[in-house]
Amino acid sequence: MTLPRLLTGATAEPMAYQRHLSIHGQLPSANRAPALIAELTRAALRGRGGGAFPLGTKLDAVRRARGRPVVVINACEGEPMSVKDRLLLRSLPHLVIDGALCCAGAIGSEEIVIAIDETSVEAAEAIERALGERSDLHGTRARPTIVELPPGYVSGQEAAVVNFINGGPAQPLLGPRVTTRGVDGQPTLMSNPETLAHAALIARHGASWFRELGTAEEPGSVLVTLSGAVQRPGVYEIEYGSSLSSLLAAAGGIADQIQALLFGGYAGTWLDGGLAGSVRLDRQALQRWGASLGPGIIVALPQSACPVAEVTRVAGWLAGQSTGQCGPCVHGLSSIARALEDIAVGAGGLELFSDVRRWAAQVHGRGACAHPDGTARFVTTALDLFAADFEDHARHGRCDDCSRRPVLVTPRLLTGAR
């Protein structure tokens, strides 16, 4: 089967349930462990939220844990450069619901929670409308409930989501894995909308069908939010192992010369733009460059953008997203952000470069979540790639391109809030 798979029939309006059934058919009723878990394992479906953990393994762990299992659809999508999960909820809500129902059946769960950013109004309305259309959920304990979380970069981290559902703040806490002790202290399966949408299709068509696309090591398709120097930024469904050049062509080609590529969003890796013609989009190929798709994000930074201004602004925003719990995150990220700002305006000496690298190494692995690790990677790979630009700013201050419209967005730029 060719593409699209997930995005078949997608439009700007939410797909009605009857239309969904006409495209995909009824969800098979025999989705019970261990059959579905075994099929998902054979499919080698990995999570599409950034962690890339095998879904079959996660399901099996929750099923074997003691307690009453819970399924959480983590649709918070706090990464500013990603919109693919909101697209799925807004346009194809029934496919996501199907995936959650499949997984709930596989682990014997009667409780499904949809965790969504409170600012994602259209997505929340689409899910509410879709749930109302599902006669198969009327009067059942498995009817999903919606929980709206406050916006924030780390609010969607799985421990933060569980903590909020349990009545606490949306902050990640150190503790046992949510697969053994999550919502209400029960074993919890947490997965993002795209992963569950894939699971719904595998339940219908099987592992062999899923593996018809992609590579042997990484089968299937993936949604990528592509932005920056392309004619048609947006969400694209691609086959794993396809070339970046083919994705750029699907987006209408480049709109400006690409000076750099950001893979994986604000916890990701910067690569030279000259690789655009040779990079293949799968884990094994990207690992060669120390990169990954993460939650399915590629930004093509145009030649007209100032990389120092872009990186400095985002680093400052990331420092402000600390929840204030871990010293290395609170003090380390703010120190890094201040040093980058001094470099950007020419107010600090070249010794600040070694300071930033030292602080980045010190915060790595020392937080309750991976926020400091991702920020350190984002900053240090930028310092490597844009060394000449940073050194020029350190000596001469801001350049003419610093005042251009930002390519890398933050919620402040998108909403005008905070």
Side-chain angles (χ1 to χ4, degrees):
M1 180 179 178
T2 59
L3 292 175
R5 284 180 168 182
L6 295 182
L7 299 184
T8 299
T11 66
E13 296 298 320
M15 183 178 289
Y17 188 43
Q18 290 305 314
R19 171 66 173 158
H20 167 75
L21 291 177
S22 71
I23 292 175
H24 298 292
Q26 290 284 349
L27 192 65
S29 59
N31 292 314
R32 297 292 184 269
L36 179 60
I37 294 177
E39 199 68 13
L40 290 170
T41 301
R42 284 193 292 272
L45 172 62
R46 291 178 175 269
R48 301 297 201 255
F53 196 81
L55 180 60
T57 302
K58 187 184 289 189
L59 279 164
D60 195 53
V62 175
R63 183 176 69 90
R64 294 177 183 276
R66 299 182 61 180
R68 176 175 46 81
V70 180
V71 172
V72 175
I73 304 174
N74 186 355
C76 293
E77 200 169 32
E79 165 60 58
M81 300 308 294
S82 177
V83 296
K84 50 107 173 178
D85 286 331
R86 273 167 282 180
L87 170 67
L88 283 174
L89 292 185
R90 189 176 66 246
S91 298
L92 303 165
H94 291 289
L95 200 58
V96 179
I97 293 170
D98 281 354
L101 291 173
C102 286
C103 291
I107 61 176
S109 172
E110 294 184 336
E111 183 177 359
I112 299 173
V113 180
I114 304 172
I116 190 168
D117 188 310
E118 65 185 16
T119 64
S120 300
V121 177
E122 290 184 358
E125 290 176 347
I127 281 289
E128 287 276 16
R129 187 180 306 114
L131 292 175
E133 293 179 315
R134 301 287 294 243
S135 59
D136 55 332
L137 295 177
H138 293 170
T140 68
R141 294 180 63 184
R143 188 181 193 278
T145 58
I146 298 175
V147 174
E148 296 185 350
L149 277 77
Y153 189 68
V154 300
S155 296
Q157 196 270 347
E158 63 177 25
V161 172
V162 165
N163 195 39
F164 187 82
I165 294 173
N166 287 341
Q171 297 177 351
L173 300 175
L174 291 172
R177 293 183 179 276
V178 302
T179 50
T180 57
R181 188 177 179 186
V183 175
D184 295 330
Q186 303 300 320
T188 300
L189 173 77
M190 186 169 298
S191 197
N192 76 316
E194 184 189 347
T195 310
L196 294 171
H198 282 293
L201 294 184
I202 293 170
R204 287 176 165 92
H205 306 295
S208 297
W209 168 87
F210 182 75
R211 299 183 70 97
E212 288 175 2
L213 294 180
T215 68
E217 296 78 14
E218 197 162 27
S221 64
V222 61
L223 298 182
V224 174
T225 305
L226 176 66
S227 60
V230 293
Q231 297 289 350
R232 294 192 296 272
V235 177
Y236 293 86
E237 185 174 5
I238 65 169
E239 177 180 6
Y240 272 124
S242 58
S243 66
L244 175 56
S245 58
S246 67
L247 173 59
L248 296 174
I254 62 174
D256 190 357
Q257 183 178 347
I258 298 174
Q259 65 168 310
L261 296 158
L262 177 62
F263 285 89
Y266 293 169
T269 302
W270 286 99
L271 298 181
D272 189 275
L275 296 172
S278 58
V279 169
R280 302 198 72 80
L281 302 176
D282 61 77
R283 188 183 312 106
Q284 289 71 31
L286 290 173
Q287 279 178 346
R288 173 186 175 190
W289 308 102
S292 76
L293 283 174
I297 297 168
I298 301 175
V299 182
L301 189 71
Q303 190 66 44
S304 57
C306 173
V308 176
E310 297 284 353
V311 171
T312 299
R313 186 185 63 259
V314 173
W317 182 80
L318 290 169
Q321 293 301 297
S322 170
T323 61
Q325 299 181 102
C326 309
C329 184
V330 175
H331 304 298
L333 298 192
S334 61
S335 295
I336 289 170
R338 285 195 299 269
L340 290 176
E341 180 62 33
D342 286 343
I343 292 171
V345 299
L350 296 180
E351 67 275 4
L352 284 179
F353 289 96
S354 59
D355 289 340
V356 170
R357 292 185 182 279
R358 185 177 71 255
W359 294 332
Q362 290 172 345
V363 303
H364 192 273
R366 298 183 62 193
C369 68
H371 178 44
D373 302 46
T375 302
R377 180 166 48 250
F378 174 85
V379 169
T380 56
T381 58
L383 289 178
D384 291 339
L385 182 59
F386 306 119
D389 298 276
F390 275 97
E391 289 175 10
D392 182 72
H393 279 66
R395 290 188 171 94
H396 307 294
R398 296 189 184 276
C399 67
D400 292 340
D401 292 331
C402 283
S403 59
R404 287 183 179 273
R405 181 179 178 84
V407 177
L408 303 180
V409 298
T410 65
R412 181 193 302 273
L413 294 171
L414 288 174
T415 66
R418 299 191 306 281

